[in-house]
Amino acid sequence: MSATDIQYPETEEEIARLVTEAKASNLSIEVRGGGTRLGLGRPSQSASALSVAKLSGITNYDPSELVMAARAGTPLSEIEAALAANNQMLTFEPMDHRPLLGATGEPTIGGVFAANVSGPRRISAGAARDNLLGVRFVNGSGEIVKSGGRVMKNVTGLDLVKLMAGSWGTLGVMSEVTFKVLPRPETAATIVVSGLNDAEAAEAMAAALAMSVEVSGAAHLPESVIHKFAGGSLKGGPATVLRLEGLEPSVEVRSERLLAEMGRRGTASVLEGQASQDLWREIRDVAPFADGTMKPVWKVSVAPSAGHQLVAALRLKTGVDAFYDWQGGLVWLRMEADPEADLVRQYIKVLGGGHATLVRADAATRASVPVFEPQPKPLEALARRIKDQFDPAGLLNPGRMTAGM
């Protein structure tokens, strides 16, 4: 699809008109933000494209209220700059997919919520959807909907905000989002525990999260990837990293407590300042697998105690590299060749359940493999009913998440 095929509405009303015209002509629409995540999900099956990139600007922001509203096409960098000027931040630390996917463009705030993008701080701050307070969007019938302002037929009781977060443009074209923000921590420090294997690291992270030290990030970087973090400066083998944030005196006291506890498990040290910030950005953006290839990459969510078991089982069957975030509950897998979708999901089921998303693969693979976790039949039926209510003609991002929907 060429750039000339993409329409760039500048108002909510223009979006509604374009969707109405598409419905009348029975033309499907690929819904875009900044285009940075087009390589995630099933390949486009749409006849035209609509980008909200020109529907931009912060519409309401009072720092004292810790709430911001912005049009969906507002660049994420603009949001973060406005927050930084007031010493505030998005607590859920959204990942930048561009390095991993080899994408260009500018991430938008609407795209962040449409894909429910979250980073390492999710274990303490929740996901993007947990921070979304309100949303305006145009549904597949060309109607403008505001959360809390209009109850859609036959979806009474459904939380429109939660439904839109993570819907990948399949339910509506978001035009504006309202979300929580919080003060930026005064300082941060990262406790680095060196030399633990995957199982020992899972135990160490669980112990750290059980302490009253308010860990805001917990990840394990095995031997195979450690040289790809922090410019190769982390020595001593695998690294288990634990982040503490807050007021400087508080961080200092909590660091001492955590250092003493972790020192019983391995060699423990402290990473501070820019070095600590850079490390967590690399973890957030999956730096070791942002290698310029299209080797399949999975994002797997399981119980924190099961992550290392999943990786161990897969390594007996296929070529795979991995590291862990969210206390081990998020496993990033890079496969050496085939995505092995059936094998990955089989082991997840055996280990107690979870879900796997194929974040990176070539278009042919994404067309043939379920990119998002297949739903049990009752949930799939519910999803189809919701889709029918929001987008009865099936115009918006058809098949982006599930074949035939």
Side-chain angles (χ1 to χ4, degrees):
M1 182 178 295
S2 68
T4 55
D5 296 317
I6 307 171
Q7 300 183 84
Y8 293 89
E10 298 184 21
T11 66
E12 191 176 63
E13 291 73 21
E14 192 176 352
I15 294 174
R17 177 181 61 79
L18 291 172
V19 172
T20 300
E21 291 175 354
K23 183 180 180 183
S25 302
N26 196 29
L27 292 175
S28 57
I29 302 172
E30 179 186 78
V31 181
R32 299 183 179 185
T36 62
R37 298 181 179 89
L38 294 178
L40 206 170
R42 301 184 70 252
S44 173
Q45 302 173 39
S46 301
S48 62
L50 183 159
S51 170
V52 298
K54 290 188 178 180
L55 195 71
S56 181
I58 295 170
T59 55
N60 186 31
Y61 176 39
D62 183 346
S64 66
E65 294 182 351
L66 300 176
V67 172
M68 177 182 281
R71 296 184 180 92
T74 309
L76 181 60
S77 58
E78 182 178 328
I79 299 291
E80 292 179 330
L83 292 173
N86 290 281
N87 205 29
Q88 294 180 344
M89 66 176 185
L90 295 171
T91 60
F92 53 92
E93 207 169 0
M95 173 186 176
D96 184 350
H97 283 84
R98 287 176 294 182
L100 184 65
L101 299 179
T104 58
E106 188 73 25
T108 62
I109 191 64
V112 164
F113 285 111
N116 192 33
V117 182
S118 309
R121 204 179 285 111
R122 187 190 188 284
I123 60 171
S124 60
R129 66 161 49 92
D130 300 312
N131 292 267
L132 186 61
L133 300 175
V135 62
R136 292 178 65 96
F137 63 95
V138 176
N139 66 16
S141 297
E143 300 167 315
I144 297 173
V145 182
K146 178 182 178 182
S147 63
R150 176 176 179 268
V151 177
M152 297 183 66
K153 183 180 179 183
N154 294 334
V155 293
T156 304
L158 292 178
D159 187 333
L160 299 188
V161 171
K162 294 295 190 288
L163 281 173
M164 293 300 293
S167 64
W168 290 88
T170 61
L171 300 180
V173 183
M174 284 199 284
S175 55
E176 185 178 79
V177 289
T178 303
F179 46 93
K180 295 186 292 185
V181 301
L182 281 179
R184 184 181 298 276
E186 180 180 281
T187 191
T190 299
I191 307 302
V192 181
V193 190
S194 301
L196 304 184
N197 63 34
D198 290 8
E200 292 168 338
E203 293 179 1
M205 288 187 287
L209 269 291
M211 296 175 64
S212 57
V213 293
E214 300 177 20
V215 172
S216 69
H220 178 62
L221 319 175
E223 184 81 45
S224 60
V225 299
I226 190 62
H227 64 286
K228 297 181 180 179
F229 287 99
S233 64
L234 298 177
K235 306 299 182 181
T240 307
V241 292
L242 304 161
R243 182 174 59 188
L244 303 175
E245 298 176 301
L247 297 174
E248 188 169 349
S250 171
V251 170
E252 185 175 339
V253 170
R254 288 182 283 136
S255 294
E256 290 176 359
R257 288 186 58 200
L258 192 54
L259 267 174
E261 172 59 32
M262 293 298 112
R264 301 187 181 98
R265 299 171 180 271
T267 302
S269 58
V270 182
L271 198 63
E272 297 178 312
Q274 192 63 46
S276 175
Q277 292 180 35
D278 291 346
L279 174 63
W280 287 101
R281 185 182 65 252
E282 291 170 345
I283 293 170
R284 181 196 73 181
D285 295 343
V286 196
F289 303 154
D291 51 13
T293 74
M294 289 304 291
K295 290 182 178 180
V297 173
W298 290 95
K299 178 183 179 182
V300 178
S301 293
V302 291
S305 60
H308 67 93
Q309 298 178 60
L310 171 66
V311 174
L314 286 170
R315 281 179 171 152
L316 294 175
K317 296 286 188 177
T318 189
V320 59
D321 204 356
F323 74 94
Y324 310 83
D325 198 0
W326 300 355
Q327 194 199 326
L330 170 59
V331 187
W332 287 102
L333 302 173
R334 187 190 64 188
M335 317 304 286
E336 288 304 314
D338 191 271
E340 302 284 4
D342 291 341
L343 189 64
V344 169
R345 289 180 167 133
Q346 173 192 337
Y347 282 145
I348 290 173
K349 185 176 180 180
V350 169
L351 290 168
H355 55 86
T357 301
L358 185 58
V359 174
R360 185 180 73 190
D362 58 55
T365 299
R366 290 185 287 114
S368 61
V369 170
V371 173
F372 297 95
E373 187 70 26
Q375 296 289 334
K377 292 299 182 183
L379 287 180
E380 182 182 343
L382 175 60
R384 289 183 181 276
R385 290 199 297 272
I386 292 172
K387 173 70 170 174
D388 289 343
Q389 290 298 320
F390 281 75
D391 181 21
L395 300 178
L396 305 177
N397 277 354
R400 177 70 186 270
M401 299 186 74
T402 306
M405 187 181 297

